[in-house]
Amino acid sequence: MNITIKYFGQLTDITHLEEETLEFGGTYVYELLETLYRKYNTLKTKNFQVAQNQELVNENTKITGHEIALLPPFAGG
Amino acid sequence: MNITIKYFGQLTDITHLEEETLEFGGTYVYELLETLYRKYNTLKTKNFQVAQNQELVNENTKITGHEIALLPPFAGG
Amino acid sequence: MKDKKPMKSVFKEGAITSEFIGNSIYKHQTKTSIGAHNIFLGQVRADEINGKTVSAIEYTAYEDMANQKFHEIRESAFEKFDLTCMHIYHSLGTVKAGEICLFVFVSSPRRKVVFEALEYIVEAIKADVPVFGKEIFEDESHQWKVNS
Amino acid sequence: MKDKKPMKSVFKEGAITSEFIGNSIYKHQTKTSIGAHNIFLGQVRADEINGKTVSAIEYTAYEDMANQKFHEIRESAFEKFDLTCMHIYHSLGTVKAGEICLFVFVSSPRRKVVFEALEYIVEAIKADVPVFGKEIFEDESHQWKVNS
C-alpha cells in the first residue's frame, strides 16, 4: 500500500523533505522503520516517536494506511 | 502618655473616625483595649488584631508610645 | 539583571488597567534571560449576597505597614526563588466589578520557578498585608470583605 | 458563562504581542463572575551555547495532531477544574529572543483553582503537543530545542 510519511524538526535535517509517499509491503510499524533506516542512514541514531492517524503508536502496531508521522522530542512553549 | 490610635475597615463603622489621640495611663495593650471598649461599646464584639509600630502584637505587649492600629481581617487582592 | 529596587509603594489609585499590564509585559521583552512569566490578576466579582449584587469594592490600607509587608514578601521571594523580576500592584479606592485590583508579575529563566513563586507571593499578600475591602452593593449599602 | 468553543487552532504566525495579551485581559472585564486570572507566558531566551547566542526560535508543528492535543488538554482541564475561561496561543514561525511564543490564560471565580489549572495545562502542553523549535544562532547556524 501507499503510505504518506511526515518528518518533523531535526529529522528533516536528515531527510531533507517534510513529507513523502512510499510503497510499503509490510504489516507493522517496525517494518516500516527498517525500510526508512535503509533509506536514511542516520535516522536510526535519532530519538523520535511514531504517530499513526495523529496518535502515538509503538513499533508493533499494525500499519493501517493512515498518515504516519515521525516526531522528535517536543519543544513547545 | 499620649497614644495615637488608627482604626481600619469595619472598625470605622463603630468609631466613626480613622484616627484619634488618647491620654493613656496604663502599661499593656490589654489595658488600652479595656479603655477603648468602654468608649466604643460594640468594639468588643469585633474580630481584630493590634499592631504597634507596624508590627502585630498581643494583649500582653507593653505599650511603647508608638502608633497603635486596630486591624480587622485582611481583604487584599 | 535582578530588579531589586528600594522599597516603593505598590498601591495605585483605582483599578489596574489592561493597558498598564500589557505595557508592563512589553517592558520585559528586553530582558532576554527570561524564559517564563507568570501573572496573577485579582478581579472584583459581582457576587450576589442576600439578593444584592456587589457593584464595586472600596479598598483602604494601613499603608505604611502594608508597604513594609509587601517589601518583606518581596525580599523573601527573591531569597527563596531564582527570580529575574517581581512586580506587585494593588488598588486603593474604588474598583468596580470586572476591574482588576491586584497585579502580581514574576519572571525567571525557568517555568517551575515562576509557578511556585507566584503562588507563594499571592498567598502571602492575602494573609499578611493590611488591606481592607468594603463591598458596595447596587443600593449603596455595604459589607466588609474577608479573605478566605 | 463557560467559554467552551468548538476546536480551533491555537497557532499564531510569529510572536504573541503584549498588545494582544492586554486586549485579551480587557475582554474578560465583562465577565464579573471571575475573581482570579492566571497567565503563563513563554518567552524566547537568548541562551548562550558553546559561545554562540540564540537570536530566535523557528517553531514548526504537526499542526493537526497538535490542535487535537490542545483540544484534549482543554477538555481535560475544564473537567478537572472549575474554570470560567481558558485560552491558549502558541507561535509558529520565527520568534526572536525576548518575544513571547506561548500565552496560556485561565480564569475562575477563585484563586486556588487558577494556580492548579495553569500549571497542569502548561506541563501538558510541554509534554504532549508536537511542536518543534529550531534555535537560530546569530551566525545563522542552528540546533534543535528539547523541552526539559
Side-chain angles (χ1 to χ4, degrees):
Chain A
M1 77 187 119
N2 278 327
I3 301 180
T4 298
I5 304 172
K6 285 172 170 275
Y7 304 101
F8 290 94
Q10 58 187 278
L11 304 184
T12 60
D13 285 354
I14 294 171
T15 59
H16 301 292
L17 46 77
E18 296 181 347
E19 184 173 332
E20 65 183 324
T21 301
L22 292 180
E23 173 63 29
F24 173 63
T27 307
Y28 297 102
V29 168
Y30 72 84
E31 293 173 303
L32 178 62
L33 291 179
E34 280 163 16
T35 307
L36 296 177
Y37 292 154
R38 277 193 296 275
K39 188 163 181 190
Y40 303 107
N41 257 328
T42 52
L43 190 60
K44 199 163 188 169
T45 68
K46 292 294 175 186
N47 179 17
F48 62 87
Q49 297 176 288
V50 178
Q52 176 167 251
N53 197 23
Q54 297 168 32
E55 287 294 335
L56 297 178
V57 292
N58 67 43
E59 296 211 336
N60 298 313
T61 305
K62 276 195 184 177
I63 299 282
T64 58
H66 287 103
E67 184 177 271
I68 296 283
L70 270 50
L71 306 172
F74 302 164
Chain B
M1 77 187 117
N2 278 327
I3 301 180
T4 299
I5 303 172
K6 285 173 170 273
Y7 304 100
F8 290 93
Q10 59 189 278
L11 304 183
T12 61
D13 285 356
I14 294 170
T15 60
H16 301 293
L17 46 77
E18 295 180 350
E19 184 172 331
E20 65 184 324
T21 302
L22 292 181
E23 173 63 29
F24 174 63
T27 309
Y28 297 102
V29 168
Y30 73 85
E31 293 174 302
L32 178 62
L33 290 179
E34 279 163 15
T35 307
L36 296 177
Y37 293 154
R38 277 193 296 275
K39 189 164 180 190
Y40 304 107
N41 258 331
T42 52
L43 190 59
K44 199 164 189 168
T45 66
K46 292 294 174 185
N47 178 18
F48 62 87
Q49 298 176 287
V50 179
Q52 175 167 252
N53 196 23
Q54 297 167 33
E55 287 294 335
L56 296 179
V57 293
N58 68 42
E59 295 210 338
N60 298 313
T61 305
K62 277 195 181 174
I63 299 282
T64 58
H66 288 104
E67 182 178 272
I68 296 282
L70 270 50
L71 306 173
F74 302 163
Chain C
M1 195 67 111
K2 294 263 176 191
D3 187 12
K4 249 182 169 178
K5 289 177 203 122
M7 201 170 134
K8 53 172 186 180
S9 177
V10 307
F11 290 112
K12 285 179 71 76
E13 191 59 35
I16 298 159
T17 66
S18 56
E19 289 81 6
F20 181 83
I21 298 161
N23 193 40
S24 186
I25 293 166
Y26 177 73
K27 284 183 194 157
H28 287 74
Q29 305 211 311
T30 54
K31 301 197 176 184
T32 55
S33 70
I34 293 172
H37 303 289
N38 200 353
I39 294 171
F40 180 86
L41 303 174
Q43 185 166 299
V44 172
R45 281 198 311 270
D47 279 351
E48 204 188 298
I49 300 164
N50 301 328
K52 296 193 289 187
T53 302
V54 172
S55 65
I57 295 181
E58 233 177 80
Y59 284 103
T60 50
Y62 184 14
E63 282 194 59
D64 290 347
M65 180 174 165
N67 278 315
Q68 178 58 38
K69 289 291 166 194
F70 277 123
H71 179 70
E72 288 168 21
I73 291 168
R74 184 180 173 76
E75 292 293 302
S76 141
F78 268 119
E79 224 167 83
K80 276 181 203 289
F81 306 104
D82 176 28
L83 294 176
T84 310
C85 311
M86 175 192 331
H87 303 278
I88 305 175
Y89 300 94
H90 198 298
S91 294
L92 284 184
T94 302
V95 182
K96 291 189 206 127
E99 291 182 333
I100 288 162
C101 56
L102 174 61
F103 171 28
V104 184
F105 186 1
V106 295
S107 311
S108 168
R110 312 229 158 246
R111 75 180 180 285
K112 302 267 183 201
V113 173
V114 293
F115 289 128
E116 275 186 68
L118 187 70
E119 187 162 3
Y120 170 83
I121 295 163
V122 172
E123 294 303 327
I125 291 170
K126 299 264 181 184
D128 299 340
V129 181
V131 170
F132 311 97
K134 191 179 185 172
E135 293 178 317
I136 313 288
F137 296 106
E138 282 157 346
D139 64 0
E140 289 175 35
S141 62
H142 75 266
Q143 76 166 25
W144 291 90
K145 180 175 174 270
V146 174
N147 277 346
S148 56
Chain D
M1 193 68 111
K2 294 263 176 191
D3 187 11
K4 250 184 169 178
K5 291 179 201 122
M7 200 169 134
K8 55 173 185 179
S9 177
V10 306
F11 290 112
K12 284 179 71 76
E13 192 57 35
I16 297 158
T17 67
S18 56
E19 289 81 7
F20 181 84
I21 297 161
N23 192 40
S24 185
I25 293 165
Y26 177 73
K27 284 184 194 156
H28 287 74
Q29 306 212 311
T30 53
K31 300 196 176 185
T32 56
S33 70
I34 293 173
H37 303 288
N38 201 352
I39 293 171
F40 180 86
L41 303 174
Q43 185 167 297
V44 172
R45 281 198 312 268
D47 279 350
E48 204 189 298
I49 300 165
N50 302 327
K52 296 193 288 187
T53 303
V54 172
S55 64
I57 296 181
E58 234 177 79
Y59 284 104
T60 50
Y62 184 14
E63 282 194 59
D64 290 347
M65 180 173 165
N67 278 315
Q68 178 57 37
K69 289 290 166 194
F70 277 122
H71 179 70
E72 287 169 21
I73 291 168
R74 185 181 173 77
E75 292 293 301
S76 141
F78 268 119
E79 225 167 81
K80 277 181 201 291
F81 307 104
D82 177 27
L83 294 175
T84 311
C85 311
M86 176 192 331
H87 303 278
I88 305 175
Y89 299 94
H90 198 298
S91 294
L92 283 185
T94 302
V95 182
K96 291 189 205 126
E99 291 183 331
I100 289 162
C101 56
L102 174 62
F103 170 29
V104 184
F105 186 1
V106 294
S107 311
S108 167
R110 311 231 157 243
R111 76 181 178 284
K112 302 268 184 201
V113 174
V114 293
F115 289 127
E116 276 186 68
L118 188 70
E119 188 163 2
Y120 169 83
I121 294 163
V122 172
E123 294 303 327
I125 291 170
K126 298 263 182 186
D128 300 339
V129 181
V131 170
F132 311 97
K134 190 178 185 172
E135 294 178 317
I136 313 288
F137 295 107
E138 282 158 346
D139 63 1
E140 290 175 34
S141 63
H142 75 266
Q143 76 167 24
W144 292 90
K145 180 175 175 271
V146 174
N147 278 346
S148 57

